[in-house]
Amino acid sequence: DRTAAELDLAGTFQDEASEGLGGIPRWKGQLGLQWSNRRWRGNYEMHFISAMEELVPGSMRQRDIESWMIHDVQLSYNFKWLKGLRWAIGVDNVLDREAPLATSAFNDSIDGRTHELKGRFLYTKLSQRF
């Protein structure tokens, strides 16, 4: 219908349990960089989600949900003596940045579809390709 009012929902959050559409950040981005030198490889990823206005259910109030940026890094080594053997170590969310508070969110007071609940996460893995 061409007479319907236009709604600009970019940059807003209204929890789906409250009949909203969830988080719709105005800006969302990811940047990745890779480095390699012979058998070594390094990876860096940055994830960014812009701030949003939270529409508090049952009221006309709005509150700000902060922007959120996390950084992930990984370093790996490919062994020479067994072709295809690779060892990696990494850290997700290096700065241990918590997901921003969304007071009306149904689960854990965060927007779980837009932000991650886990904090800093260290890991290592050993893999073999044949």
Side-chain angles (χ1 to χ4, degrees):
D1 182 7
R2 294 188 181 272
T3 61
E6 183 177 311
L7 290 175
D8 182 7
L9 297 175
T12 64
F13 171 80
Q14 187 173 11
D15 192 65
E16 294 175 55
S18 302
E19 299 180 13
L21 297 174
I24 306 173
R26 187 170 299 279
W27 296 101
K28 189 174 181 178
Q30 182 173 332
L31 171 70
L33 301 171
Q34 287 186 339
W35 163 85
S36 62
N37 184 0
R38 297 186 181 140
R39 299 194 171 281
W40 291 95
R41 176 170 287 156
N43 295 303
Y44 164 79
E45 284 190 2
M46 182 271 306
H47 307 269
F48 173 77
I49 298 169
S50 64
M52 294 180 279
E53 285 187 356
E54 179 178 11
L55 308 172
V56 180
S59 75
M60 297 301 291
R61 289 190 14 231
Q62 295 183 348
R63 63 171 296 280
D64 290 333
I65 296 175
E66 298 174 8
S67 63
W68 190 63
M69 185 181 332
I70 61 169
H71 309 271
D72 302 336
V73 294
Q74 183 185 77
L75 182 66
S76 64
Y77 181 77
N78 292 305
F79 290 92
K80 183 177 183 177
W81 47 271
L82 187 56
K83 190 172 182 152
L85 183 64
R86 180 175 174 246
W87 174 69
I89 187 168
V91 182
D92 290 348
N93 194 354
V94 171
L95 301 175
D96 198 22
R97 182 94 192 272
E98 291 183 5
L101 174 68
T103 58
S104 65
F106 183 71
N107 290 319
D108 303 316
S109 296
I110 69 159
D111 177 12
R113 290 185 174 92
T114 307
H115 304 94
E116 290 182 20
L117 182 58
K118 73 177 182 182
R120 181 181 301 128
F121 181 77
L122 290 86
Y123 64 91
T124 186
K125 67 180 179 179
L126 187 64
S127 59
Q128 174 66 54
R129 287 193 173 164
F130 298 98

